Amino acid sequence: YFVTSIGCVMIKSGGVIGRSWAMLFAGGGFQVKLYDIEQQQIRNALENIRKEMKLLEQAGALKGSLSAEEQLSLISGCPNIQEAVEGAMHIQECVPEDLELKKKIFAQLDSIVDDRVILSSSTSCLMPSKLFAGLVHVKQCIVAHPVNPPYYIPLVELVPHPETAPTTVDRTHALMKKIGQCPMRVQKEVAGFVLNRLQYAVISEAWRLVEEGIVSPSDLDLVMTEGLGMRYAFIGPLETMHLNAEGMLSYCDRYSEGMKHVLKTFGPIPEFSRATAEKVNQDMCVKVPDDPEHLAARRQWRDECLMRLAKLKSQVQPQ
Ligand code: NAI
């Protein structure tokens, strides 16, 4: 997908993430052109976006100040890459996570874009230094990594190539804010960026605890949903430290030795063995059987919860 906006956002590819970007940019009032190698993907995406926007409008959860119909009129499919790029101020690439494919696409874009448009990738884990290596327009290149589902989770990690111009980061930051997302800057590229490094740290300890028979998989998840997760939607781990004592310095004085003692007992990187995966899966399937219908229904429930949480957050944290 590309997204382009008015003046313009173009999305490259009609998959899951491309569709979400299209809806977000249209919500911000931008004209969006969708480009995908598969024409059918564009048709499916447009149909899917229409359905979803109508449902969101009925639920009072449509983003932006325009009606669903007005937002839909901003989104169009574009079968030709050259036309899709024309007039764009931002191109959001969302093709599958494959370095060679993405490099090919950025090389193609590099040869047809002007010096103003921003070339942005949705990649979850490919390094900007690999993705944008050797491009003439490298100063205009950036990773803008969304979180699934992007319509309900606002964070976008902005990761520059070492040669990305500061204005590219600033412009992308401003654009993300304009469409109601919450951008943050990763100052230097690092494997997994920031979100997945935190996520993998949690997953890895969760796995070890289950593997060692210290806790059952479903109880492990409860620790997050009924414990840590309750506060993490409002305050992060560092602010948690700050609030859990008389400020950060007091927290470190009181708890750093205890934390180090526990951290030293952490095990090695899990192998994610088949045996443990089956044990975890068995527990997970009690709540959510792993057939497509149950998984889809649970995802829908998750999205509804996130939508309500977003409403609550906007009431308690006016921006
Ligand atoms: P997807 O497989 O749903 O969609 C990919 C789309 O790209 C398909 O519509 C396909 O037809 C199209 N495509 C393939 N080759 C193309 C080409 N040469 N030119 C134009 N379009 C082409 O993939 P998904 O899940 O939307 O992921 C896209 C990107 O977003 C990946 O880089 C992924 O890492 C990233 N991402 C995905 C998240 C997720 O949870 N799905 C979360 C955050 C980022």
Side-chain angles (χ1 to χ4, degrees):
Y1 251 5
F2 294 163
V3 186
T4 17
S5 74
I6 239 178
C8 202
V9 180
M10 176 238 193
I11 304 189
K12 188 155 174 54
S13 122
V16 179
I17 294 298
R19 283 204 308 258
S20 301
W21 278 122
M23 291 168 63
L24 287 164
F25 283 116
F30 292 103
Q31 192 185 323
V32 179
K33 290 189 207 157
L34 292 174
Y35 170 83
D36 199 292
I37 199 151
E38 297 266 355
Q39 287 307 299
Q40 189 56 37
Q41 281 290 85
I42 298 185
R43 283 193 287 277
N44 292 348
L46 292 173
E47 204 175 299
N48 202 290
I49 290 171
R50 168 166 290 277
K51 268 193 216 143
E52 220 173 313
M53 281 200 174
K54 292 282 178 183
L55 286 174
L56 286 163
E57 190 168 53
Q58 279 164 20
L62 189 70
K63 296 199 174 193
S65 52
L66 302 175
S67 69
E69 224 32 83
E70 285 167 329
Q71 296 190 23
L72 286 164
S73 72
L74 292 173
I75 308 175
S76 58
C78 190
N80 176 302
I81 192 166
Q82 189 95 36
E83 262 174 49
V85 167
E86 191 125 344
M89 66 164 197
H90 182 96
I91 298 175
Q92 186 70 37
E93 166 278 314
C94 325
V95 304
E97 192 76 338
D98 172 329
L99 179 62
E100 290 314 313
L101 172 65
K102 286 192 193 268
K103 278 177 70 168
K104 204 176 95 193
I105 279 160
F106 280 108
Q108 195 181 2
L109 287 170
D110 198 36
S111 67
I112 56 177
V113 296
D114 60 25
D115 292 341
R116 289 198 50 247
V117 66
I118 285 177
L119 300 174
S120 173
S121 173
S122 302
T123 182
S124 325
C125 60
L126 300 172
M127 297 290 228
S129 58
K130 295 246 165 65
L131 214 47
F132 307 132
L135 297 184
V136 174
H137 296 92
V138 64
K139 286 185 181 155
Q140 295 154 241
C141 293
I142 191 162
V143 165
H145 171 227
V147 186
N148 199 36
Y151 203 79
Y152 305 108
I153 301 189
L155 191 85
V156 180
E157 291 185 291
L158 301 182
V159 196
H161 178 281
E163 290 169 55
T164 298
T167 52
T168 299
V169 184
D170 293 344
R171 276 176 56 196
T172 312
H173 194 275
L175 178 65
M176 293 300 144
K177 285 196 85 128
K178 176 98 199 326
I179 61 170
Q181 295 303 87
C182 180
M184 56 75 71
R185 299 165 201 259
V186 179
Q187 280 156 17
K188 269 193 279 185
E189 68 173 25
V190 60
F193 310 148
V194 175
L195 182 133
N196 275 325
R197 288 181 82 87
L198 289 182
Q199 175 162 250
Y200 295 165
V202 170
I203 287 177
S204 132
E205 182 55 10
W207 201 267
R208 285 188 293 257
L209 290 169
V210 167
E211 199 152 55
E212 287 167 21
I214 290 165
V215 63
S216 72
S218 46
D219 276 355
L220 183 293
D221 272 357
L222 279 183
V223 173
M224 190 56 85
T225 60
E226 306 303 310
L228 288 176
M230 292 292 288
R231 59 161 85 110
Y232 281 171
F234 299 94
I235 58 169
L238 298 178
E239 190 179 345
T240 296
M241 295 165 80
H242 196 56
L243 298 188
N244 279 2
E246 298 314 308
M248 180 61 78
L249 301 180
S250 135
Y251 188 96
C252 287
D253 283 346
R254 282 194 222 172
Y255 301 118
S256 59
E257 283 311 311
M259 278 195 295
K260 284 196 290 188
H261 175 76
V262 174
L263 285 166
K264 278 181 194 150
T265 68
F266 278 37
I269 298 170
E271 289 300 327
F272 299 103
S273 72
R274 182 81 193 177
T276 309
E278 274 171 11
K279 178 178 159 181
V280 176
N281 190 48
Q282 219 173 23
D283 230 16
M284 294 297 110
C285 286
V286 173
K287 199 188 268 178
V288 190
D290 60 357
D291 57 84
E293 288 76 29
H294 281 95
L295 290 171
R298 183 71 170 170
R299 285 187 199 113
Q300 198 175 341
W301 173 81
R302 172 201 65 189
D303 291 354
E304 277 163 24
C305 294
L306 290 169
M307 199 159 77
R308 289 192 202 175
L309 181 61
K311 268 191 198 161
L312 174 64
K313 278 171 69 86
S314 69
Q315 286 158 9
V316 297
Q317 293 175 335
Q319 283 173 355

